[in-house]
Amino acid sequence: MKVSSMDTHMGNISIDQEVIAQFAGNAAMECFGVVGMASMSVRDGLVKLLKKDSMTRGIQVLLNNNKLTINFHIIVSYGVSILAVADNLIDSVKYKVEEFAGIEVEKINIFVEGVRVID
């Protein structure tokens, strides 16, 4: 599914939502306190930590009026402030995605699906 299409003097540029989700996921993983992405289809109350190659299943990218909304389902590290992790993730991902894709990020929603102790 194409998220964005831009016309330039050389031709048309289309960006797929999977590309933006992968980039946003990598930017989120660089944030302190984020252990990983969680599966969005949580059954029986079990949360599954997604591997790096399937991390985009925990991210949803939506486009409304040429503005992006990104939903993250994350697992955070035990003992860190969830508010601090969320603020850091929002600021970092918003800046990086806007620079990368050239599309304004209107909203970032964070769903904390679990907490993990990391060694």
Side-chain angles (χ1 to χ4, degrees):
M1 177 181 179
K2 301 279 188 277
V3 168
S4 175
S5 182
M6 295 174 266
D7 289 321
T8 67
H9 69 284
M10 300 285 287
N12 190 19
I13 301 170
S14 295
I15 304 172
D16 193 277
Q17 75 175 17
E18 187 76 14
V19 173
I20 293 176
Q22 185 69 41
F23 186 83
N26 287 331
M29 289 301 297
E30 293 174 359
C31 295
F32 175 78
V34 176
V35 175
M37 299 299 145
S39 177
M40 286 192 295
S41 60
V42 179
R43 295 182 188 161
D44 303 324
L46 299 174
V47 175
K48 181 179 178 187
L49 180 65
L50 297 172
K51 295 180 182 176
K52 190 151 179 92
D53 58 343
S54 62
M55 140 173 62
T56 57
R57 291 189 319 184
I59 303 168
Q60 181 182 29
V61 177
L62 306 167
L63 181 70
N64 293 320
N65 300 327
N66 284 337
K67 294 181 183 178
L68 290 173
T69 297
I70 306 172
N71 296 325
F72 286 95
H73 295 263
I74 65 170
I75 297 174
V76 298
S77 178
Y78 177 80
V80 298
S81 167
I82 293 175
L83 181 60
V85 171
D87 284 343
N88 184 23
L89 189 147
I90 290 168
D91 291 341
S92 180
V93 169
K94 183 177 182 341
Y95 173 76
K96 289 178 181 178
V97 168
E98 286 179 349
E99 288 295 311
F100 171 71
I103 306 168
E104 181 183 348
V105 177
E106 180 178 35
K107 188 187 299 185
I108 296 177
N109 299 311
I110 300 171
F111 303 92
V112 179
E113 302 290 352
V115 177
R116 289 274 170 104
V117 177
I118 54 175
D119 298 329

